[in-house]
Amino acid sequence: MGKLANSFHKIAALNQAMEYFQDGMTIMFGGFGGVGSPPALIGAILEKDLKELTLIGNDTGFPEIGIGKIVSRGMARKVIVSHIGSNPVAGKLMNEGLMEVEFSPQGTLAERIRAGGMGIGAILVDIGLDNEMVIQGKQQFVLNGRDYLVEPALTAEVSIVYARKADPYGNLIYDKSARNTNPLVAMAGNYTIAEVEEIVPLGALDPEEIVTPGVFVDMVIPTCGVNWKWAWE
């Protein structure tokens, strides 16, 4: 029984987490403008100097905040996001043809990620039918006389999320608005790594407070805290 229990313990070090990252891969990240994005993992990706990444998440952060640090250094060949307006470097890269941007309305993006985590192949939405940027290259479908866009579900080779607390089994609790897209992103990765502020013993988390069950989390690493200055500071 002891060996079985130990196999469920998911706490690891940052260098162990980086074994799952390589050039050309797809990474899904939690966060909203940097809030709720995992700083240590982002920093380690920068240090590893990965190339040709596909990034999936709510936005491209700010130039030196959140996932924006990776985008601003030209490490992404494509991003799938709801907007890039807070990161002018992302706009410049897009306009110069150096980075592909697939825009998805925020609610649609969240549902595509949720669908990926649930094993659903695609969703039907009527949002964006009048927007050329949204419908470009996408199938349309008629159901009960109504037009819909077919939006493919989204998954990634690795998902990275940021949580307030975790136990050794990977059950997660988030800090207020830092919860944002993290629970959905945690579900949609083939391998999910959670960076957390505090690791507590088994049984210390109230089951009613757990947002992401450990079944969705493969590895837990401790954080050293946010290492960027927020835009409003």
Side-chain angles (χ1 to χ4, degrees), residues 184-199:
L184 299 177
V185 168
M187 295 169 58
N190 295 338
Y191 194 89
T192 294
I193 303 172
E195 179 180 336
V196 301
E197 296 177 22
E198 181 182 0
I199 298 173

Side-chain angles (χ1 to χ4, degrees), residues 9-13 163-172 194-202 204-205 219-223:
H9 283 239
K10 301 172 181 178
I11 301 169
R164 174 69 184 89
K165 291 182 181 182
D167 65 18
Y169 281 9
N171 296 304
L172 304 180
E195 179 180 336
V196 301
E197 296 177 22
E198 181 182 0
I199 298 173
V200 301
L202 286 175
L205 298 180
M219 181 180 286
V220 174
I221 65 166
T223 187

Side-chain angles (χ1 to χ4, degrees), residues 9-194:
H9 283 239
K10 301 172 181 178
I11 301 169
L14 181 59
N15 64 321
Q16 293 173 282
M18 294 316 296
E19 296 175 5
Y20 293 88
F21 295 87
Q22 59 272 327
D23 292 343
M25 72 181 302
T26 299
I27 300 173
M28 191 178 291
F29 60 93
F32 191 111
V35 176
S37 295
L41 285 166
I42 288 172
I45 291 169
L46 287 168
E47 288 184 16
K48 197 166 183 177
D49 196 25
L50 297 176
K51 300 289 192 299
E52 297 292 307
L53 299 173
T54 296
L55 303 175
I56 303 173
N58 182 71
D59 54 74
T60 52
F62 295 81
E64 294 299 325
I65 294 175
I67 206 72
K69 286 187 168 189
I70 294 173
V71 172
S72 297
R73 284 157 181 75
M75 297 166 67
R77 67 171 183 83
K78 179 179 180 179
V79 296
I80 303 175
V81 292
S82 68
H83 74 89
I84 61 173
S86 58
N87 190 344
V89 179
K92 184 174 184 293
L93 291 170
M94 180 185 70
N95 291 331
E96 293 177 353
L98 299 176
M99 183 177 71
E100 181 184 352
V101 179
E102 179 183 333
F103 289 105
S104 191
Q106 198 167 79
T108 300
L109 180 67
E111 184 64 7
R112 292 175 71 188
I113 294 171
R114 189 196 70 83
M118 295 295 291
I120 299 170
I123 61 171
L124 299 180
V125 300
D126 59 3
I127 305 299
L129 282 168
D130 57 350
N131 188 320
E132 192 63 35
M133 293 187 71
V134 173
I135 68 173
Q136 188 174 9
K138 293 180 179 175
Q139 295 181 346
Q140 297 190 35
F141 188 81
V142 179
L143 178 65
N144 295 329
R146 292 185 60 181
D147 293 328
Y148 293 93
L149 286 177
V150 179
E151 292 278 6
L154 294 172
T155 59
E157 292 164 78
V158 174
S159 282
I160 57 175
V161 300
Y162 191 54
R164 174 69 184 89
K165 291 182 181 182
D167 65 18
Y169 281 9
N171 296 304
L172 304 180
I173 293 175
Y174 303 93
D175 185 15
K176 298 185 278 295
S177 64
R179 175 172 173 172
N180 50 58
T181 61
N182 276 297
L184 299 177
V185 168
M187 295 169 58
N190 295 338
Y191 194 89
T192 294
I193 303 172

